[in-house]
Amino acid sequence: MICLLRDFLCVGLFAALTSHADVLTRCSQIAETEPMPAGGHEIRITGKVQACYPSHPVAAPEKKSSIFCITDATGGSYVLAPTNMAHVAGDVVAISGKLEFIDYIGRSVIIPRQMTVLRHETPESPANVDLREIRDGAKAFHIVSATGLVIDAFHDELDPRWNWLLISEDETSVPLAVFGEKIPQDTLDSLIGRTITATGLCAPCTGR
């Protein structure tokens, strides 16, 4: 048993060291590291900027950083970059850096050491989707427009700047977040029972 255990640990350690040293070049590889924290992986990736969130809690202007998302042919990922790395939606960027796990988001994000804008393309127009496509993750990291019946409305318990609506369609429900100033609860409650159309980033998040 001791010999077998020793061999198992050696094989496991070798596999971990080999995986840790791999350079990830596609968004799908980043997704494969979830849901376990995957800080430390090296990144060399090219993708298109889909949306930018300069006021996000983990990337507020006073922190001199911004958070945005990129997509390639295989998927998407969040990027947390210094504000001096200029970018706008539609930019195709080449990024080298590492992955870092962000508790607030509950995912690993790309932390660039270097980012180069290769060219600018027309930003994506919102895709009209049903809630099932959002729930299944088919449009993750893309700009979408979806319609649903508001069945609940509330604020995040830890950060009330997150205003949440739960919308439903054909027995499928998804949460919808509006970040910024706290919207009065009466205003949120007035939306319950109404059918609304929302446009924004289809953002996978296992944190808040």
Side-chain angles (χ1 to χ4, degrees):
M1 288 296 294
I2 295 176
C3 181
L4 290 175
L5 180 60
R6 181 193 63 198
D7 292 343
F8 173 78
L9 289 175
C10 288
V11 171
L13 180 60
F14 174 77
L17 289 175
T18 301
S19 176
H20 187 74
D22 286 344
V23 176
L24 307 185
T25 59
R26 301 186 304 275
C27 287
S28 60
Q29 293 175 306
I30 297 173
E32 289 168 2
T33 68
E34 310 292 354
M36 297 300 293
H41 285 274
E42 288 293 311
I43 299 290
R44 284 201 297 270
I45 198 165
T46 298
K48 183 175 181 177
V49 178
Q50 294 293 345
C52 308
Y53 293 91
S55 62
H56 192 283
V58 301
E62 62 270 18
K63 297 180 181 178
K64 297 183 179 180
S65 60
S66 64
I67 194 165
F68 58 99
C69 66
I70 61 169
T71 57
D72 63 12
T74 69
S77 180
Y78 292 110
V79 181
L80 180 61
T83 52
N84 61 2
M85 290 186 177
H87 56 273
V88 297
D91 283 347
V92 176
V93 296
I95 297 174
S96 60
K98 65 175 183 176
L99 279 185
E100 182 175 315
F101 188 79
I102 304 295
D103 286 332
Y104 193 98
I105 300 175
R107 298 181 70 91
S108 295
V109 305
I110 298 171
I111 309 295
R113 284 189 298 269
Q114 182 177 357
M115 184 173 77
T116 303
V117 178
L118 302 178
R119 62 185 181 276
H120 182 78
E121 298 179 352
T122 302
E124 283 190 4
S125 298
N128 293 316
V129 300
D130 59 44
L131 299 188
R132 191 179 303 110
E133 291 177 277
I134 296 175
R135 174 64 68 184
D136 293 345
K139 294 296 183 179
F141 296 104
H142 289 273
I143 305 298
V144 301
S145 183
T147 299
L149 177 71
V150 180
I151 60 175
D152 198 5
F154 52 93
H155 295 103
D156 188 283
E157 294 181 355
L158 298 179
D159 189 344
R161 294 175 298 173
W162 287 101
N163 306 278
W164 290 95
L165 300 175
L166 187 63
I167 61 176
S168 179
E169 176 192 44
D170 295 333
E171 300 183 349
T172 299
S173 298
V174 299
L176 182 157
V178 179
F179 179 79
E181 296 295 326
K182 180 180 178 180
I183 298 174
Q185 186 64 46
D186 289 348
T187 302
L188 293 180
D189 288 342
S190 70
L191 296 174
I192 295 177
R194 296 187 179 185
T195 297
I196 65 170
T197 298
T199 301
L201 176 70
C202 183
C205 179
T206 54
R208 289 210 311 280

